Amino acid sequence: MSYTSEELDAMADRGDLKPAPGTAVYRDPGAPALTDKDLMGIFAGRPREEEHRPANVELRVKVTPTMKAALTRIAREENLHTSSALVRSVLADFIQKRAGKGKEVQPSRC
């Protein structure tokens, strides 16, 4: 069954929308609405269905268990859906600062 955005809004206002079994909710029920920046952080790299382009490339990084736990905690505190969304946000900020205005980021020498 599909719903219009107005029907979904009304259902959300009534509290009729419940998480799917087996999924986790990272936001408190009284948390403020997600901003466009929040949503872009969550869905970055995922193409819209109507856009016929591949998803962005995957970058795999190994971290210690302590770092992973900290990433997960901070992502929840920042109202991000996953630690990947947090890493994308932090990496984007780093690249922007490193590149400066109008400069390209130089590849690593490693």
Side-chain angles (χ1 to χ4, degrees):
M1 176 175 223
S2 68
Y3 298 97
T4 66
S5 59
E6 291 81 13
E7 290 170 327
L8 289 171
D9 285 344
M11 291 169 68
D13 289 341
R14 291 190 308 267
D16 293 343
L17 299 177
K18 304 292 182 217
T23 60
V25 176
Y26 294 101
R27 294 175 53 82
D28 292 328
L34 293 171
T35 65
D36 287 345
K37 182 180 178 187
D38 295 333
L39 293 172
M40 291 306 293
I42 292 169
F43 295 107
R46 293 168 178 84
R48 293 179 178 202
E49 189 173 319
E50 65 270 12
E51 293 179 11
H52 299 287
R53 67 175 180 87
N56 291 345
V57 297
E58 179 179 352
L59 177 65
R60 300 184 84 178
V61 178
K62 293 186 184 255
V63 297
T64 66
T66 303
M67 290 174 70
K68 175 61 177 167
L71 283 170
T72 301
R73 179 183 50 79
I74 294 167
R76 286 182 180 161
E77 289 171 0
E78 295 289 323
N79 292 322
L80 297 172
H81 184 65
T82 64
S83 56
S84 291
L86 175 64
V87 171
R88 279 192 299 273
S89 175
V90 170
L91 188 56
D93 289 346
F94 172 79
I95 290 171
Q96 182 60 39
K97 288 177 187 171
R98 186 71 176 256
K101 293 183 180 177
K103 295 181 184 176
E104 287 188 39
V105 177
Q106 296 299 313
S108 171
R109 291 190 176 102
C110 298

